[in-house]
Amino acid sequence: MTLTSKATPRGAYQRRKATSSIMMTLCWAATIFGLAWLTLILGALLWNGFAGLNLNIFTQDTPGPNTDGGGLRNAIVGSLIMTIMGVGIGTPIGMLAGTYMAEYGRFSKLTFYIRFVNDILLSAPSIIIGLFIYQVVVVPMAGFSALAGGLALAVIVIPVVVRTTEDMLLLVPVPLREAAAALGLPRSHVVLKV
């Protein structure tokens, strides 16, 4: 028995090819339909949005209720303050924890628990973190503040930085670490420089 005797009949091949062409045409039509609506929505947003942009948006505070005019200066400045606080608090803590986990306590029990808590924090929804910070910071202070927002962002940033730092440090080949240690570098210098 030869391979040609098991070959697919020509009619089945033509049907599959026709079905594939029809499905590909339907996929392209659905893509063009979706992109057309997306373009229309984006165009309307830009058309109406650019008409409302002026210098007052960036130089004036948000007005009170039932008043005209005003801007978004306080929202922009507040977002910048909270972002700087969140990154400024979360990045050093995350880098220190990730460095410990990758370099000093790779096989310790503490690293296992830190990694476990870190994985839970990575998958925690931001609303849960916000509620936690609300209960721990906002309620005792009896008011909202940029500190609460910055701390919430820091709690979101820490697990990402821990995971990234640990993964990047583990990418350094072991022979490279051993070569630096063989040259007499202390472990801290190997971590920082190599």
Side-chain angles (χ1 to χ4, degrees):
M1 187 183 254
T2 63
L3 290 175
T4 55
S5 65
K6 290 185 175 184
T8 308
R10 184 142 177 87
Y13 174 74
Q14 294 297 334
R15 278 195 309 272
R16 277 189 251 146
K17 191 172 179 181
T19 304
S20 176
S21 297
I22 291 169
M23 290 299 141
M24 191 60 85
T25 304
L26 288 174
C27 287
W28 278 108
T31 301
I32 291 169
F33 180 76
L35 287 175
W37 280 106
L38 182 64
T39 303
L40 286 172
I41 292 169
L42 186 61
L45 177 72
L46 292 175
W47 182 265
N48 294 327
F50 280 132
L53 277 181
N54 56 31
L55 192 59
N56 293 339
I57 294 289
F58 302 104
T59 59
Q60 294 181 359
D61 287 338
T62 305
N66 300 325
T67 56
D68 292 331
L72 298 172
R73 182 182 64 178
N74 57 343
I76 294 169
V77 171
S79 295
L80 288 173
I81 289 170
M82 287 190 301
T83 302
I84 290 169
M85 282 177 57
V87 171
I89 294 169
T91 301
I93 294 171
M95 287 181 73
L96 289 172
T99 303
Y100 170 78
M101 290 167 59
E103 298 294 334
Y104 295 101
R106 188 179 298 185
F107 304 109
S108 72
K109 273 279 207 215
L110 180 62
T111 299
F112 173 78
Y113 293 121
I114 292 172
R115 192 174 290 121
F116 178 72
V117 171
N118 190 58
D119 289 342
I120 291 172
L121 280 175
L122 262 176
S123 62
S126 58
I127 189 71
I128 301 299
I129 293 170
L131 287 172
F132 171 74
I133 295 296
Y134 177 81
Q135 191 65 37
V136 171
V137 178
V138 175
V139 170
M141 290 177 61
F144 297 103
S145 66
L147 176 65
L151 289 175
L153 285 174
V155 172
I156 293 172
V157 165
I158 288 172
V160 175
V161 175
V162 168
R163 173 67 60 90
T164 304
T165 303
E166 182 185 13
D167 289 346
M168 291 302 107
L169 288 174
L170 290 176
L171 287 176
V172 177
V174 174
L176 194 60
R177 295 169 197 257
E178 291 172 350
L183 291 173
L185 282 177
R187 189 165 191 167
S188 60
H189 286 272
V190 173
V191 172
L192 287 174
K193 309 264 176 162
V194 176

